Amino acid sequence: MKIENGKWKIFNFLFSAIIAILIYTNIMDNVIENKSFQFAIRIVRLYKFLCEEKKEYILSKQLLRAGTSIGANVTESQQAQSKPDFVSKVSIALKEASETKYWIKLLGATEYLSENQTKSILDDCVEIEKILVTILKSAKNQ
């Protein structure tokens, strides 16, 4: 489906406005807070699996640190003292999500995780990254 340039600009404007409303009414924030918390639970369970079943302790510790830090920074952003503080916390969460993605890919490439395991948790991580990018873009444009 082809969208004309003018219509595309209108769509982008409306989409940004909707995201801004969702952020300021805490709907989007609750979505990312919930998703990052559920993701952290998956990461903790994956860490336990890697330690107990695969006897892998080094990479899994890195994954645990980065993967649980996403939600911690998202939660901190909810209590930001200013817009720059909010942007900073969300930016850190995004960096942690990117690092988490790296560790997941590495664990998959080294066959500590199956293809299905890698894809499943990687998909969740990418979804969180996309939400964080959207929140950052909207916050910076306000």
Side-chain angles (χ1 to χ4, degrees), residues 67-106:
T68 57
S69 181
I70 300 165
N73 281 288
V74 166
T75 300
E76 276 190 62
S77 76
Q78 302 304 297
Q79 302 303 318
Q81 296 174 339
S82 64
K83 183 177 168 182
D85 187 31
F86 175 81
V87 168
S88 175
K89 297 292 188 244
V90 176
S91 295
I92 293 168
L94 178 58
K95 288 178 184 180
E96 294 294 340
S98 294
E99 182 181 340
T100 301
K101 191 166 66 172
Y102 171 82
W103 294 119
I104 293 167
K105 288 179 178 180
L106 184 58

Side-chain angles (χ1 to χ4, degrees), residues 16-139:
S16 294
I18 290 168
I19 294 301
I21 291 167
L22 292 175
I23 288 171
Y24 287 112
T25 59
N26 284 330
I27 293 170
M28 183 64 115
D29 292 340
N30 289 336
V31 167
I32 190 58
E33 202 167 5
N34 291 335
K35 284 189 179 292
S36 61
F37 184 78
Q38 292 304 314
F39 184 73
I41 291 170
R42 285 193 72 190
I43 291 293
V44 170
R45 289 181 178 153
L46 179 55
Y47 171 76
K48 289 166 68 175
F49 165 78
L50 289 167
C51 289
E52 293 170 5
E53 302 294 322
K54 301 290 187 169
K55 306 299 182 209
E56 197 300 308
Y57 305 100
I58 307 301
L59 302 177
S60 58
K61 188 71 166 192
Q62 292 290 103
L63 174 69
L64 178 67
R65 188 201 55 74
T68 57
S69 181
I70 300 165
N73 281 288
V74 166
T75 300
E76 276 190 62
S77 76
Q78 302 304 297
Q79 302 303 318
Q81 296 174 339
S82 64
K83 183 177 168 182
D85 187 31
F86 175 81
V87 168
S88 175
K89 297 292 188 244
V90 176
S91 295
I92 293 168
L94 178 58
K95 288 178 184 180
E96 294 294 340
S98 294
E99 182 181 340
T100 301
K101 191 166 66 172
Y102 171 82
W103 294 119
I104 293 167
K105 288 179 178 180
L106 184 58
L107 286 161
T110 54
E111 299 176 356
Y112 282 107
L113 298 177
S114 70
E115 277 186 48
N116 288 340
Q117 289 170 320
T118 302
K119 182 181 177 348
S120 175
I121 199 153
L122 196 56
D123 287 349
D124 284 354
C125 191
V126 168
E127 180 183 9
I128 288 170
E129 269 188 320
K130 288 178 181 178
I131 294 169
L132 291 170
V133 166
T134 301
I135 290 170
L136 277 173
K137 283 181 180 177
S138 180

